[in-house]
Amino acid sequence: MKKKSLETVIELIDMKRFIILAISMLFFSCNGVSRNEDDRGGLVEEDASTSSVIDLDTLTETKFADRSEELIYIREYLELKLPEIILKENPEYFRDAQYTFISYGKDYTLLELARKSDKFDFRYHEYMRYIIKNNLHFPFVKSELENNGELSVWGNYTPVNLKERDISSDVNNEEIELPPVVEEKYNPEEQKINGDFNGDGKYEYAYRVLVNQGEGNPIDKGTPDEYEIQFSDKNMLPVKVGCCNFKLINEGDLNNDGADELTILQYPMNGCIGNVKTYTVKNNRGKLLISPFTFYICAELTSTELSEIIVKENGTVYYHEADPNDEYLLNDEGDKIRFERLIKKKAILK
């Protein structure tokens, strides 16, 4: 009797072990996690739940039920394509970051790290904002990224010293020291934006071009720099804007003429008070659409704020300028404008 009871107990124990093993196998099977080396030498986490995720080769649609469906499609494309582009721009940085994460027990692919980077976050949101504002369609966006590796959005924000700061991490809520960061290389003479500025239904580029290098101090018998806005469509005449350096912004169609207008935020020769000038193109010639106004340029604006210096709401165009007597215009550190403190005024179009 005791022997039989002992055998029963052993059987129960074996059954319990079998059940635990079966549950464990089922758990890992459902999660589908396996570790393999990819062709880049990095460890890969393969998740069966995401094995059927859309890839770039399947994103070939050209017709959509409505704009929202197309924007969702564009979003999915950018989430897949941008990490590839960013990784190619600086593979060594992400390789070093991958090795650092491996040492902390986190196995990320290089593409996953590119997706986690600040550069991806910045570029993704800039592109989506620009695509929505300018009503760009998926075939154009795909063509730009496939052929040029970028979308012509950089004119809306000058990414001086833009950095891949910290790749977000969740390793025991600890801050991981990543490899040295490489700064974004930026040539101030190559800023450009795209749009249909002459209303012919075709996109062209608008460039900021230094046409005459100044010498000495203009205040002391020197000569200032001279700039122009030039266009890739050579039928469009350059717009002379004088001194000095500036940022370009595509405003969309402000005056309902079927063409995009553009704004420049122009720096002064000295000091912190620059000028905002908005141009429209008529018969391939640029002319001022709104009387220029001053703007404080020695403090940081986000790309979104930069695009909202001039806005169109319910068919009416407004611009934002600072009250020169506002003691609280800047944040406590003095390096950022409190945009909500700017005065919103109705613009009179010429």
Side-chain angles (χ1 to χ4, degrees):
M1 184 70 180
K2 288 184 179 180
K3 182 178 180 181
K4 185 175 183 181
S5 298
L6 180 61
E7 291 176 349
T8 302
V9 170
I10 293 173
E11 289 177 359
L12 290 174
I13 292 173
D14 289 341
M15 181 62 70
K16 183 177 180 180
R17 288 175 178 172
F18 174 78
I19 293 172
I20 292 173
L21 179 61
I23 292 174
S24 299
M25 293 178 65
L26 179 63
F27 174 79
F28 285 108
S29 175
C30 290
N31 280 279
V33 177
S34 63
R35 294 185 177 184
N36 298 299
E37 288 231 350
D38 69 359
D39 56 2
R40 295 183 297 265
L43 289 171
V44 183
E45 287 187 357
E46 297 177 354
D47 190 339
S49 64
T50 60
S51 61
S52 61
V53 172
I54 296 174
D55 59 40
L56 288 171
D57 293 336
T58 66
L59 295 174
T60 58
E61 292 292 331
T62 58
K63 296 181 180 180
F64 305 92
D66 52 32
R67 180 59 171 163
S68 63
E69 181 180 89
E70 184 177 29
L71 288 175
I72 292 172
Y73 206 74
I74 291 173
R75 180 194 68 197
E76 292 176 344
Y77 175 77
L78 292 180
E79 288 176 345
L80 292 171
K81 186 63 179 178
L82 286 180
E84 283 190 359
I85 295 172
I86 292 169
L87 178 58
K88 289 179 181 179
E89 292 172 352
N90 197 355
E92 290 78 12
Y93 170 77
F94 292 104
R95 170 81 64 186
D96 290 343
Q98 183 189 49
Y99 294 162
T100 301
F101 276 106
I102 289 174
S103 69
Y104 280 87
K106 288 291 181 179
D107 306 335
Y108 292 118
T109 68
L110 297 176
L111 284 175
E112 285 173 334
L113 291 177
R115 175 67 179 80
K116 288 174 173 288
S117 68
D118 279 359
K119 179 177 282 190
F120 170 86
D121 187 63
F122 169 84
R123 200 174 298 184
Y124 168 79
H125 288 99
E126 280 299 290
Y127 281 11
M128 286 301 296
R129 182 185 64 79
Y130 188 73
I131 288 165
I132 292 170
K133 179 176 180 180
N134 294 280
N135 197 32
L136 301 184
H137 295 289
F138 175 69
F140 175 81
V141 173
K142 184 176 182 180
S143 175
E144 283 278 286
L145 268 66
E146 294 290 340
N147 297 324
N148 304 322
E150 67 173 358
L151 187 64
S152 307
V153 66
W154 300 113
N156 291 295
Y157 180 71
T158 305
V160 178
N161 295 332
L162 172 66
K163 298 181 178 181
E164 301 160 31
R165 294 180 287 274
D166 289 334
I167 298 176
S168 59
S169 131
D170 57 356
V171 182
N172 300 324
N173 295 320
E174 295 179 2
E175 184 174 342
I176 294 178
E177 182 180 352
L178 292 178
V181 174
V182 178
E183 295 185 355
E184 176 84 1
K185 294 182 179 179
Y186 172 70
N187 184 344
E189 305 309 322
E190 294 182 351
Q191 193 198 11
K192 62 184 179 181
I193 57 175
N194 81 335
D196 180 13
F197 300 110
N198 61 358
D200 65 354
K202 301 177 182 178
Y203 285 98
E204 56 270 345
Y205 288 101
Y207 299 89
R208 177 186 61 206
V209 179
L210 175 62
V211 294
N212 187 20
Q213 180 73 54
E215 295 182 3
N217 189 340
I219 299 178
D220 187 24
K221 297 183 180 180
T223 58
D225 294 341
E226 294 181 14
Y227 283 85
E228 290 181 349
I229 303 170
Q230 296 183 5
F231 301 92
S232 57
D233 183 342
K234 298 308 177 184
N235 293 316
M236 302 171 66
L237 299 177
V239 180
K240 298 183 182 297
V241 298
C243 184
C244 296
N245 194 4
F246 58 85
K247 295 179 181 179
L248 278 162
I249 306 163
N250 184 327
E251 298 291 358
D253 188 0
L254 295 177
N255 58 356
N256 302 316
D257 64 349
D260 294 329
E261 276 67 55
L262 57 87
T263 291
I264 66 171
L265 175 59
Q266 192 164 30
Y267 298 98
M269 288 186 290
N270 298 286
C272 291
I273 306 301
N275 288 286
V276 178
K277 302 175 184 177
T278 300
Y279 294 90
T280 186
V281 177
K282 299 292 184 185
N283 299 319
N284 289 322
R285 294 177 179 269
K287 69 171 188 176
L288 286 170
L289 179 66
I290 301 171
S291 295
F293 57 94
T294 59
F295 202 87
Y296 188 82
I297 54 87
C298 289
E300 180 183 343
L301 283 175
T302 67
S303 55
T304 299
E305 290 168 344
L306 187 65
S307 71
E308 291 178 353
I309 294 175
I310 294 176
V311 294
K312 185 177 181 181
E313 298 176 354
N314 298 321
T316 301
V317 179
Y318 299 91
Y319 65 95
H320 293 85
E321 67 176 351
D323 179 353
N325 299 315
D326 187 353
E327 298 179 356
Y328 302 99
L329 176 64
L330 304 181
N331 64 354
D332 293 338
E333 290 74 24
D335 60 350
K336 293 183 180 179
I337 291 177
R338 292 187 171 110
F339 197 83
E340 67 275 7
R341 297 193 66 84
L342 296 178
I343 302 171
K344 182 178 178 181
K345 297 183 177 180
K346 181 178 179 179
I348 299 176
L349 306 186
K350 296 183 177 182

